[in-house]
Amino acid sequence: MANVIADRIEVVSDDITRLDVTMIVNAANSSLLGGGGVDGAIHRAAGPGLLEECRTLGGCPTGGVRMTGGHRLKARHVLHAVGPVHRDGRSGEPGLLRSCYEEALRLAHEHQAESVAFPCISTGVYGYPKDEACRIATDAVIAWLESHEYPRRVVFCCFGEADARLYRDRLAAIGA
Ligand code: ADP
């Protein structure tokens, strides 16, 4: 990977609700009405205005992304991405997971976002194997950055050092 792309990617081990970025991505479910995991954390930190706004959206299909304001978060916007539940890996999951990253990046590009932070979509309750999800996420982000000016910076916000190591190792393996 060219260094110019590597310089636009960061891996952190943190709570995504604390990050000072333009947009954070939520691993939402298709109702967009809140849930556990990172979704619950984002709604708690953003306050009740986020749920009110989400109610107006009418849900979102798997692989899709919807944008809201950030409410009480530092981030200006939340990109609610609906990742696939991992069944057997042969039910379209890779394409749907990749679509979450691409659709979020497309919205970030449209809004000329400076920075976007992603959690490890689908790898919690939705059961996606972490290494496969990491490969899909890094491939999608690198391909996007190679051909787009925005977002200027992407943060992989891992929840714990083990996930962060997975991302750092993957990026190092592909030459970052
Ligand atoms: P999904 O239903 O898409 O699997 P989860 O919220 O269960 O969503 O998990 C997605 C990922 O988000 C997991 O890797 C989980 O460890 C991580 N996660 C949970 N809370 C946070 C948080 N506050 N900040 C960043 N990542 C988080």
Side-chain angles (χ1 to χ4, degrees), residues 10 17 19 38-39 51 70 78 80 88 91 98 114 117 121 132 144 146 158-159 163 175-176:
E10 194 183 341
T17 64
L19 298 188
V38 70
D39 197 1
L51 183 57
V78 180
H80 304 266
D88 53 10
S91 308
R98 188 176 175 110
E114 179 67 26
I121 301 170
E132 284 175 39
W144 185 273
E146 278 171 349
C158 299
F159 204 50
D163 281 359

Side-chain angles (χ1 to χ4, degrees), residues 5-163:
I5 299 300
D7 287 348
R8 293 167 64 193
I9 299 176
E10 194 183 341
V11 179
V12 300
S13 169
D14 208 337
D15 173 349
I16 201 166
T17 64
R18 291 157 30 95
L19 298 188
D20 192 1
V21 290
T22 318
M23 299 180 170
I24 63 170
V25 177
N26 182 15
N29 60 54
S30 58
S31 76
L32 301 181
L33 298 180
V38 70
D39 197 1
I42 288 173
H43 276 273
R44 276 193 300 279
L50 179 60
L51 183 57
E52 265 171 52
E53 188 180 355
C54 283
R55 280 191 210 287
T56 68
L57 299 177
C60 176
T62 303
V65 180
R66 297 288 183 271
M67 190 172 85
T68 65
H71 298 266
R72 293 180 192 155
L73 294 164
K74 281 189 197 144
R76 214 174 305 146
H77 295 284
V78 180
L79 301 173
H80 304 266
V82 183
V85 173
H86 192 271
R87 296 200 165 82
D88 53 10
R90 294 190 299 275
S91 308
E93 297 96 329
L96 290 166
L97 184 58
R98 188 176 175 110
S99 167
C100 287
Y101 285 89
E102 289 175 343
E103 288 301 297
L105 291 163
R106 193 176 55 73
L107 282 163
H109 185 262
E110 237 171 70
H111 291 81
Q112 304 195 336
E114 179 67 26
S115 50
V116 180
F118 285 92
C120 305
I121 301 170
S122 283
T123 67
V125 174
Y126 280 6
Y128 216 106
K130 283 172 179 282
D131 52 345
E132 284 175 39
C134 171
R135 190 169 41 74
I136 290 167
T138 49
D139 285 358
V141 164
I142 289 166
W144 185 273
L145 294 180
E146 278 171 349
S147 52
H148 296 85
E149 199 179 340
Y150 291 99
R152 297 244 192 249
R153 199 159 60 82
V154 169
V155 180
F156 289 113
C157 182
C158 299
F159 204 50
E161 265 310 318
D163 281 359

